Amino acid sequence: MMSTARLSDAHHPSIQEKAASLTAARESTVDKLESIFHFVRDEIKFGFTPKWDVVRASEVLRYGIGYCNTKATLFVALCRAAGISARPHCGMISIDIMRGVFPSIAFLFLPNAGSHTWTEVQIEGEWKPIDSYINDKAFYGAALGKLRVSGKPLGYSVSFIDGKSSCEFNFGEKGFVHMGAVLEDHGAWEDLSQYLASDKYVSMDSLQLIFYPMIAKLSNRNIKRIRSGKAGARTAGPVLERA
């Protein structure tokens, strides 16, 4: 088991300051959430942090990049700092969703599934899931174009397994980025650190941890190439049904 401190460090000065600036002109919970959402989606670019999973929200804010687990940690922290109830929801996801992002060699020693996190936010007394902040809009549009051309149901950090996908601000079943590739549901947690310390979490082995920095660097290079593609300007938008 892995023992970690709270990762959604909502009381950190940088998180408090950012949450305040994002929500200062917003009155309703939904308006505040929308501002936080667009910041996490687009200002924290999709990419892999120097450390894997055990990354505090304040660190994600400093890095300016994140993936599903680290962006969820930040999203939860910003919501809580703004007085909005939020929590991470964890599970296992097919690693095939990262084909086209991870270098091909990585799949030789990665498992078929990896740990995954999305966010639940309490709105009018009901917990509602969201994950469409994971890919920044520019990357999502270009990745979606590549996935359509490939004819595959998932890859490039996008899933079409459930027939739809979205990078827009929405809750519930209106369109997810990754949910169609989720294989196991491990439930909601107070903080991602609790999940990482549980027997449900599948951590990297020593060899994978050694190679992670190289994989992260190569993956981030692939992400930048995809983001700069011509498809980025024309395919991003609301919920899109698979053709």
Side-chain angles (χ1 to χ4, degrees):
M1 290 188 180
M2 183 183 302
S3 177
T4 64
R6 179 176 288 269
L7 296 178
S8 288
D9 51 349
H11 295 295
H12 191 280
S14 65
I15 297 295
Q16 289 281 316
E17 181 180 355
K18 179 55 67 176
S21 67
L22 290 172
T23 61
R26 307 295 181 110
E27 295 185 2
S28 73
T29 297
V30 173
D31 285 345
K32 291 178 180 179
L33 281 170
E34 186 171 10
S35 182
I36 291 170
F37 168 88
H38 283 107
F39 172 79
V40 175
R41 186 191 69 180
D42 295 329
E43 300 304 318
I44 305 299
K45 304 296 185 185
F46 176 64
F48 293 90
T49 49
K51 297 188 296 181
W52 178 253
D53 286 354
V54 186
V55 186
R56 294 188 301 275
S58 55
E59 293 179 293
V60 181
L61 191 62
R62 187 175 75 248
Y63 289 140
I65 59 172
Y67 52 96
C68 60
N69 296 336
T70 54
K71 278 201 173 193
T73 293
L74 177 59
F75 197 100
V76 168
L78 289 171
C79 285
R80 290 177 176 175
I84 302 170
S85 296
R87 64 191 185 188
H89 195 122
C90 305
M92 296 293 289
I93 194 169
S94 171
I95 202 71
D96 284 338
I97 197 170
M98 287 301 160
R99 290 194 180 275
V101 173
F102 287 167
S104 298
I105 193 173
F107 293 91
L108 296 177
F109 61 91
L110 288 175
N112 293 327
S115 295
H116 174 60
T117 310
W118 59 101
T119 301
E120 290 185 350
V121 178
Q122 194 172 46
I123 303 175
E124 297 180 349
E126 181 180 353
W127 288 101
K128 297 186 177 183
I130 187 169
D131 82 340
S132 50
Y133 54 79
I134 294 174
N135 297 334
D136 59 88
K137 191 169 186 176
F139 172 77
Y140 173 82
L144 183 63
K146 286 185 172 293
L147 185 59
R148 284 188 178 280
V149 170
S150 76
K152 297 179 180 179
L154 75 167
Y156 300 100
S157 188
V158 177
S159 169
F160 260 144
I161 288 178
D162 62 354
K164 58 187 177 182
S165 179
S166 174
C167 73
E168 298 304 317
F169 175 64
N170 58 69
F171 292 89
E173 301 300 326
K174 295 182 180 179
F176 294 100
V177 172
H178 284 185
M179 289 297 291
V182 172
L183 304 175
E184 295 180 18
D185 188 337
H186 293 166
W189 301 74
E190 172 64 20
D191 188 75
L192 184 61
S193 60
Q194 295 175 336
Y195 177 67
L196 300 187
S198 75
D199 57 5
K200 292 181 179 294
Y201 175 66
V202 179
S203 61
M204 287 188 178
D205 61 31
S206 57
L207 182 61
Q208 291 164 347
L209 285 172
I210 290 172
F211 281 100
Y212 171 71
M214 179 184 71
I215 293 173
K217 183 176 181 179
L218 293 175
S219 297
N220 287 341
R221 184 183 302 172
N222 288 338
I223 289 167
K224 287 181 180 179
R225 289 173 177 169
I226 293 169
R227 187 184 289 118
S228 65
K230 294 180 180 179
R234 65 174 183 268
T235 57
V239 176
L240 299 170
E241 302 294 334
R242 182 170 59 178

